[in-house]
Amino acid sequence: MTGRPGRTGKSGSQASAGDLLELVRSGRAVTRGALQQATGLSRATVGQRLDRLFRAGWLREGAGGPVGSPLGGRPSITLEFDDSHAVVLAADLDTRHARAAVLTLTGEILAEHSGTLVIEDGPEAVLGELGRWFAESLGKAGHRAAEVCGIGLAVPGPVDRESGRVVQPPIMPGWDGYDIRGRLSRAFTEHTGAPAVPVLVENDANLMAYGEQRTGHPDCAAFVLVKVSTGIGAGVVVDGSIYRGVDGGAGDIGHIRVGAEALCRCGSYGCLAAVASGGAVARRLTEAGVPAASGSDVRDLLAAGHPEAAALAREAGRRVGDVLATVVTLLNPGVLMIAGDLAGTPFLTGMRELLYQRALPRSTARLDVVTSRLGERAALVGAGALVVEHLYAPRRVEERLVALGV
């Protein structure tokens, strides 16, 4: 979870301790001399601002490196972000299953817990159970609750960024407008006894895309991930940032109309998710005498080589590929990643067939179509990264340093 490429946009006396930390985290300036050059600050001012970061425990000195300054002198001591001073909690909710984890500030998963958690049971029960999972995971990781600096949560629905509340989620009955941040914060405190920490909530496909792009495709300026599980959603990362649209609804491709007559869980007819999601495939399998309740059941059938599941997954891939031809033409991504329960060979075969048939050749000439590298941990890694980027953004760093009295 290193800092995103870019510039602080600050120079001279305007460059704060937070700006210096961002330069170090991103690797753009990792010595005192390089920080002076990047910001125009004097040596004394750089030293004063770095001292605040050292006192907070957020920065440490590394090994001496080669002389990199045109001023010459002895080898410079490098500066490093100290990821040992805190940990992050992250959770990923699906319709019938969830994961919770403890992560370092640089994205390493230290401990995790997974199990059945039915989202239709409602936010009060589900978020309360997550609080218990967090407490157990901290114990397994050997970390105290007091070391937690924030919590990230991935949910299968559109999220309003400002409030952290889901907005009219088709597959999350009872969650619309609920105060997720407040309930999860209370659940954390109830089960650990620790004070409240910041809670960030984001759509699961967005966080999967964020985690995958940062860890596996950091140089890709336009990255699209499509999650095909019980529902269908897409996450878009442009220039290192999640693209959410004006109210968090970007990427909700599962509700694009595709001309079919199937009734979707959103109440409309003909949505892509109603005919091509894992849930839709599960329903068709059940109607054919092969019991399947969700996308995860379809995944298990595909892993076992079930021929009817494979045929329906390929058909679903063709439906999704038809829609993705428009997505690819519109966004011109460098990487299109397919993830989720259906992301296997039958689905990919059908998807590629229609995508390359319908999209403009120019739109696919430099397109890499790949599958997930992080697998079921993608949203956890993305959620952890989102928390770290929020808490260690320059302005937030200044607020936190003041609160710490340094």
Side-chain angles (χ1 to χ4, degrees), residues 19-107:
D19 292 314
L20 299 190
L21 183 62
E22 183 178 9
L23 288 167
V24 173
R25 289 183 59 234
S26 67
R28 300 197 303 277
V30 296
T31 65
R32 290 169 173 80
L35 290 170
Q36 287 178 245
Q37 289 182 300
T39 63
L41 294 173
S42 69
R43 180 177 179 181
T45 302
V46 167
Q48 290 168 357
R49 294 180 183 174
L50 290 179
D51 182 59
R52 298 176 69 200
L53 298 172
F54 280 115
R55 282 187 284 147
W58 299 351
L59 211 58
R60 65 187 173 206
E61 290 186 342
V67 176
S69 169
L71 302 177
R74 61 186 179 183
S76 300
I77 299 297
T78 59
L79 303 170
E80 301 173 350
F81 179 58
D82 189 344
D83 71 334
S84 66
H85 69 271
V87 293
V88 174
L89 297 176
D92 177 22
L93 292 179
D94 209 332
T95 53
R96 303 182 62 82
H97 188 269
R99 289 177 176 272
V102 182
L103 297 92
T104 68
L105 299 182
T106 48

Side-chain angles (χ1 to χ4, degrees), residues 180-203:
I180 296 175
R181 289 176 180 170
R183 177 66 183 108
L184 188 53
S185 180
R186 292 193 303 274
F188 168 71
T189 299
E190 289 164 6
H191 288 278
T192 65
V197 296
V199 176
L200 299 184
V201 185
E202 184 57 81
N203 171 263

Side-chain angles (χ1 to χ4, degrees), residues 210-263:
Y210 196 50
E212 294 278 8
Q213 188 270 338
R214 289 170 64 84
T215 58
H217 306 272
D219 298 325
C220 181
F223 179 95
V224 175
L225 178 143
V226 178
K227 178 186 179 184
V228 188
S229 291
T230 298
I232 300 176
V236 180
V237 178
V238 177
D239 291 333
S241 298
I242 296 171
Y243 179 75
R244 298 176 175 88
V246 296
D247 64 0
D252 201 4
I253 65 171
H255 300 285
I256 292 175
R257 297 290 295 276
V258 294
E261 294 302 317
L263 176 63

Side-chain angles (χ1 to χ4, degrees), residues 335-375:
V335 174
L336 172 62
M337 178 175 284
I338 308 300
D341 293 327
L342 265 61
T345 299
F347 181 90
L348 285 167
T349 300
M351 187 275 295
R352 287 174 180 271
E353 182 180 346
L354 263 289
L355 170 64
Y356 287 103
Q357 177 183 325
R358 300 289 172 83
L360 293 171
R362 184 181 181 280
S363 300
T364 57
R366 298 173 61 188
L367 175 68
D368 287 333
V369 179
V370 300
T371 54
S372 172
R373 295 179 57 178
L374 297 175

Side-chain angles (χ1 to χ4, degrees), residues 220-315:
C220 181
F223 179 95
V224 175
L225 178 143
V226 178
K227 178 186 179 184
V228 188
S229 291
T230 298
I232 300 176
V236 180
V237 178
V238 177
D239 291 333
S241 298
I242 296 171
Y243 179 75
R244 298 176 175 88
V246 296
D247 64 0
D252 201 4
I253 65 171
H255 300 285
I256 292 175
R257 297 290 295 276
V258 294
E261 294 302 317
L263 176 63
C264 183
R265 294 181 68 170
C266 73
S268 297
Y269 286 88
C271 293
L272 180 65
V275 295
S277 65
V281 173
R283 184 178 65 252
R284 292 186 62 183
L285 284 168
T286 300
E287 291 169 354
V290 182
S294 65
S296 60
D297 291 337
V298 177
R299 179 192 60 205
D300 294 340
L301 289 167
L302 290 170
H306 193 283
E308 192 154 3
L312 289 174
R314 180 167 181 167
E315 181 183 333

